[in-house]
């Protein structure tokens, strides 16, 4: 027995899909669960209003909310973006706070306003679970001169692909959550769960002020939160949905080799002193071999072995290596101070008259979730309902440090529920989200609300 593929929303009605899934699972909904008719109404509404949802995404993409370039014009765009999102949430009946995040101090002594962080809440029924969604509305820089075929801030649809900066990272997923909530509101149906939003505008620039706010609001805004969901990563396939249950963290190091404070003339000094660039190339060349294996002695002693359970999970993943290779790049992970120890050893063997310094500029911890938590079970069921398949259970190379911050600070379950396909090209010149992923993702979040209500 097969199931309808893209674009099934236009070929297969929600009722026929539900009938198929009920037949497949022998009855998906228990008598105490919300009626099948409600889910069908929700799916039909989303299908009928998908052009409106795409239009809103177009309006959001048009805002050049670049947090990376420290320019006042762009910072004003960021402030406008946060106001747009806050207004949309207020129109749904949410209580919205725009928390002042102060100013960003720049190296040249200037300061720029940091966009406020949105804390929003809909519903406070103690009988319902409270699900908190995190997302961000800032984007990476983008211009036609970078190699974009279309204007990156004009949403352009080609063959079902919605091109534009921020479509998949992260404006599309944020809107998909809002679409799910707005659908229940439009149908005059009670939300199955209490929903909270944490939406920031500085994720691409290091999430300034966010960790401080999370710590400050532990006993306030977050005190009633049961589950936290992040939708800021991608599937490993173009076809099969994924649930992410771990990220690897990362470490960034700066290596500097210095001869003196001013340049030498190559005609006068070339060949009679140690060239810093040659030292630096040798040092960097000693870190990995041509197959990508890290050469630092003892580095792999810190890597946890893959368990048999993990192996079984990974074997089921729908991963096309060629497809993945064409659409993403893998970064290497370096631990602790062994980078430095190894480079000190290599540099000492060169007998160079130069000085070398190694500094760690960023260190972010890995994150692992408990996939037996209720929200992972609810998400699996929602994915089966919407997409007719089991999700790939993946661990991601992205860091997304807020996941570990939430988990450590609030001590509640954190889950990553991505919407984007592997070829969405976040941060690239062809960033897009498929209309199918965006619309079915809105359905997915609505189905997730209903499944969480049943399991709580």
């Amino acid at each position: 027995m097969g199931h309808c593929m893209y674009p099934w929303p236009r070929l297969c009605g929600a009722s026929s899909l539900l009938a198929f899934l009920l037949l497949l699972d022998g009855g998906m909904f228990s008598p105490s669960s919300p009626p099948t008719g409600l889910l069908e109404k929700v799916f039909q509404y989303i299908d009928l209003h998908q052009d409106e949802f795409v239009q809103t995404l177009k309006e959001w993409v048009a805002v050049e909310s670049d947090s990376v370039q420290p320019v006042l014009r762009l910072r004003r765009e960021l402030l406008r973006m946060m106001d747009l999102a806050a207004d949309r949430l207020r129109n749904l009946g949410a209580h919205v706070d725009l928390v002042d995040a102060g100013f960003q101090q720049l190296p040249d002594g200037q300061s720029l306003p940091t966009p406020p962080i949105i804390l929003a809440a809909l519903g406070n029924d103690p009988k319902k679970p409270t699900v908190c969604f995190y997302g961000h509305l800032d984007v990476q820089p983008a211009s036609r001169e970078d190699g974009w075929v279309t204007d990156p801030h004009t949403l352009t649809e080609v063959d079902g692909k919605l091109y534009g900066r921020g479509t998949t990272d992260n404006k599309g997923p944020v809107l998909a959550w809002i679409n799910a909530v707005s659908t229940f509101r439009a149908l005059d149906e009670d939300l199955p769960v209490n929903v909270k939003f944490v939406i920031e505008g500085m994720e691409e620039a290091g999430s300034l002020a966010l960790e401080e706010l999370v710590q400050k609001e532990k006993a306030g805004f977050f005190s009633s939160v049961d589950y936290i969901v992040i939708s800021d990563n991608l599937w490993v396939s173009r076809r099969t949905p994924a649930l992410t249950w771990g990220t690897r963290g990362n470490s960034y190091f700066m290596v500097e080799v210095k001869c003196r404070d001013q340049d030498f003339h190559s005609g006068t000094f070339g060949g009679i002193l140690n060239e810093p660039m040659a030292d630096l190339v040798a040092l960097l060349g000693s870190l990995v071999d041509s197959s990508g294996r890290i050469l630092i002695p003892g580095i792999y002693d810190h890597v946890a072995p893959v368990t048999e359970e993990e192996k079984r999970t990974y074997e089921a993943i729908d991963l096309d290596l060629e497809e993945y290779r064409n659409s993403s790049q893998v970064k290497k992970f370096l631990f602790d101070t062994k980078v430095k120890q190894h480079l000190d050893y290599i540099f000492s063997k060169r007998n160079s008259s130069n000085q070398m310094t190694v500094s760690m500029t960023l260190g972010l911890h890995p994150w692992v979730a408990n996939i037996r938590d209720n929200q992972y079970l609810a998400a699996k069921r929602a994915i089966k309902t919407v997409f007719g398949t089991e999700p790939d259970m993946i661990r991601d190379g992205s860091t997304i440090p807020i996941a570990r911050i939430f988990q450590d600070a609030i001590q509640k379950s954190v889950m990553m529920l991505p919407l984007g396909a592997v070829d969405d090209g976040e941060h690239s010149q062809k960033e897009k989200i498929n209309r199918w992923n965006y619309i079915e993702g809105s359905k997915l979040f609505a189905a997730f609300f209903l499944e969480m209500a049943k399991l709580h």
Side-chain angles (χ1 to χ4, degrees):
M1 184 181 292
H3 63 275
C4 296
M5 299 299 288
Y6 173 75
W8 71 257
R10 300 186 179 185
L11 302 178
C12 308
S15 57
S16 61
L17 177 71
L18 284 169
F20 161 72
L21 290 172
L22 287 167
L23 182 64
L24 184 68
D25 283 358
M28 184 174 293
F29 299 104
S30 63
S32 60
S33 62
T36 303
L38 173 56
L39 194 58
E40 184 175 6
K41 283 168 57 180
V42 167
F43 284 8
Q44 288 175 345
Y45 180 92
I46 292 173
D47 278 337
L48 289 171
H49 293 81
Q50 60 177 286
D51 288 342
E52 295 172 25
F53 295 149
V54 171
Q55 176 60 30
T56 304
L57 180 58
K58 182 175 185 177
E59 293 166 5
W60 282 25
V61 167
V63 181
E64 196 176 347
S65 50
D66 172 2
S67 64
V68 177
Q69 299 183 79
V71 179
L72 184 58
R73 178 185 68 83
L74 296 175
R75 201 50 59 90
R76 287 172 177 154
E77 284 285 273
L78 260 174
L79 297 174
R80 184 162 72 94
M81 185 71 254
M82 303 311 289
D83 284 338
L84 273 176
D87 287 344
R88 189 155 187 87
L89 290 168
R90 288 191 189 100
N91 290 338
L92 293 177
H95 174 78
V96 179
D97 281 332
L98 285 166
V99 181
D100 184 8
F103 287 83
Q104 179 186 14
Q105 299 300 320
L106 302 177
D108 63 2
Q110 297 183 66
S111 65
L112 287 173
T114 302
I117 299 170
I118 293 175
L119 298 182
L122 291 106
N124 57 2
D125 187 339
K127 299 185 185 69
K128 297 177 181 178
T130 298
V131 180
C132 181
F133 170 77
Y134 162 82
H136 68 91
L137 297 176
D138 60 315
V139 298
Q140 286 280 331
S143 68
R144 288 293 292 266
E145 292 72 24
D146 297 332
W148 283 77
V149 176
T150 60
D151 178 4
H153 300 292
T154 301
L155 190 73
T156 306
E157 183 166 6
V158 180
D159 297 329
K161 297 177 174 64
L162 304 171
Y163 290 96
R165 177 59 90 221
T167 49
T168 198
D169 185 14
N170 187 229
K171 293 178 181 181
V174 171
L175 269 175
W177 267 83
I178 293 175
N179 296 342
V181 172
S182 69
T183 297
F184 283 96
R185 285 283 191 258
L187 294 172
D188 201 24
E189 295 285 352
D190 192 30
L191 272 174
V193 297
N194 303 316
V195 181
K196 289 194 170 186
F197 290 87
V198 179
I199 303 175
E200 66 158 320
M202 289 296 286
E203 192 271 348
E204 303 290 2
S207 294
L208 303 182
L210 183 59
E211 182 173 4
E212 181 183 350
L213 178 64
V214 172
Q215 296 290 349
K216 181 181 176 182
E217 290 291 338
K218 278 194 298 187
F221 180 82
F222 294 105
S223 62
S224 62
V225 168
D226 299 301
Y227 306 97
I228 297 166
V229 182
I230 299 170
S231 298
D232 190 21
N233 49 332
L234 303 176
W235 303 347
V236 291
S237 166
R238 286 186 295 180
R239 301 164 296 276
T240 305
L243 273 175
T244 306
W245 59 280
T247 57
R248 65 182 176 182
N250 59 36
S251 299
Y252 283 95
F253 289 86
M254 293 291 291
V255 183
E256 181 181 8
V257 178
K258 181 178 178 181
C259 182
R260 69 170 188 173
D261 289 332
Q262 64 188 77
D263 292 342
F264 281 117
H265 190 287
S266 59
T268 305
F269 294 95
I272 64 171
L273 49 75
N274 293 113
E275 170 56 52
M277 184 60 73
D279 285 341
L280 190 59
V281 168
L283 291 168
L284 298 180
S286 75
L287 295 177
V288 292
D289 64 19
S290 59
S291 66
R293 181 172 177 80
I294 300 173
L295 299 176
I296 300 166
I299 195 77
Y300 288 102
D301 295 342
H302 296 266
V303 179
V306 180
T307 65
E308 291 302 316
E309 183 180 7
E310 281 184 78
K311 288 179 182 178
R312 289 192 294 271
T313 301
Y314 299 147
E315 285 170 0
I317 291 177
D318 176 22
L319 176 61
D320 183 326
L321 285 176
E322 187 63 29
E323 175 182 281
Y324 195 80
R325 187 179 298 114
N326 290 336
S327 60
S328 60
Q329 296 179 343
V330 179
K331 297 177 182 177
K332 298 296 180 289
F333 182 26
L334 304 177
F335 288 81
D336 219 355
T337 59
K338 290 185 178 292
V339 178
K340 186 176 188 308
Q341 293 169 3
H342 172 75
L343 292 176
D344 282 338
Y345 171 70
I346 297 295
F347 192 70
S348 68
K349 290 171 62 177
R350 291 183 62 80
N351 295 316
S352 174
S353 61
N354 298 318
Q355 295 87 44
M356 182 198 73
T357 57
V358 179
S359 58
M360 186 175 183
T361 58
L362 181 65
L364 299 169
H365 291 289
W367 162 80
V368 178
N370 177 9
I371 60 174
R372 293 174 179 83
D373 281 337
N374 274 353
Q375 68 170 343
Y376 273 91
L377 179 56
K380 283 184 177 181
R381 291 180 178 178
I383 286 170
K384 189 71 177 291
T385 299
V386 174
F387 295 99
T389 186
E390 294 291 334
D392 288 334
M393 300 299 295
I394 64 174
R395 295 177 70 171
D396 201 319
S398 301
T399 305
I400 312 183
I402 190 60
R404 180 67 179 262
I405 292 170
F406 277 137
Q407 194 163 282
D408 290 347
I410 305 171
Q411 300 289 304
K412 295 295 171 67
S413 171
V414 178
M415 177 179 71
M416 292 190 188
L417 182 55
L419 292 190
V422 67
D423 61 346
D424 276 359
E426 79 275 40
H427 295 189
S428 83
Q429 291 89 344
K430 295 181 180 179
E431 182 179 353
K432 58 88 177 170
I433 192 169
N434 300 326
R435 176 186 280 256
W436 184 69
N437 289 72
Y438 177 50
I439 298 304
E440 300 310 295
S442 301
K443 295 178 186 177
L444 174 61
F445 293 148
F448 172 70
F449 293 161
L450 289 166
E451 292 293 350
M452 281 305 310
K454 287 190 292 182
L455 285 172
H456 188 67

